[in-house]
C-alpha cells in the first residue's frame, strides 16, 4: 500500500441484493476496489473517503463494520 490519497470514489452495485463495491481513484492514477458492503448494514459517502489513504479507508470500513456487529 502506498501513501497515495483517494481523489474520487464510485459506488457500484450489480444487482439489488448484491453488496456495493467501493472503487477508488488515487492521486497517483491507480484505480482499485477498496471493499464492498451491504447497504442495510453500513453506508459510506464519497466525501468521507476522499483524502484518505487505502489503509485509512480500510480502517474506516473496519470501524463501521465493528460498530454494526456490536449493535
Amino acid at each position: 500500500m502506498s501513501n497515495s490519497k483517494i481523489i474520487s470514489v464510485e459506488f457500484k452495485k450489480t444487482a439489488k441484493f448484491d453488496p456495493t463495491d467501493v472503487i477508488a481513484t488515487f492521486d497517483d492514477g491507480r484505480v482499485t476496489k477498496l471493499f464492498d458492503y451491504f447497504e442495510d448494514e453500513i453506508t459510506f459517502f464519497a466525501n468521507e473517503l476522499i483524502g484518505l489513504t487505502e489503509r485509512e479507508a480500510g480502517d474506516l470500513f473496519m470501524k463501521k463494520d465493528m460498530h454494526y456487529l456490536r449493535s
Side-chain angles (χ1 to χ4, degrees):
M1 277 188 222
S2 71
N3 288 327
S4 299
K5 303 282 185 176
I6 298 169
I7 59 171
S8 68
V9 177
E10 182 179 357
F11 299 96
K12 288 188 176 181
K13 190 170 186 158
T14 55
K16 184 175 183 176
F17 296 108
D18 286 348
T20 300
D21 293 337
V22 179
I23 312 298
T25 302
F26 291 85
D27 58 9
D28 64 0
R30 194 166 43 96
V31 177
T32 191
K33 176 182 169 184
L34 292 174
F35 50 81
D36 58 46
Y37 66 94
F38 288 96
E39 292 177 347
D40 63 334
E41 296 175 357
I42 56 179
T43 191
F44 289 89
F45 301 97
N47 65 346
E48 66 186 331
L49 295 168
I50 292 174
L52 300 181
T53 64
E54 190 171 355
R55 171 176 233 136
E56 291 168 336
D59 290 347
L60 179 60
F61 171 81
M62 291 298 295
K63 179 181 175 183
K64 286 187 174 204
D65 195 41
M66 291 300 292
H67 183 266
Y68 168 75
L69 293 172
R70 291 179 177 160
S71 63

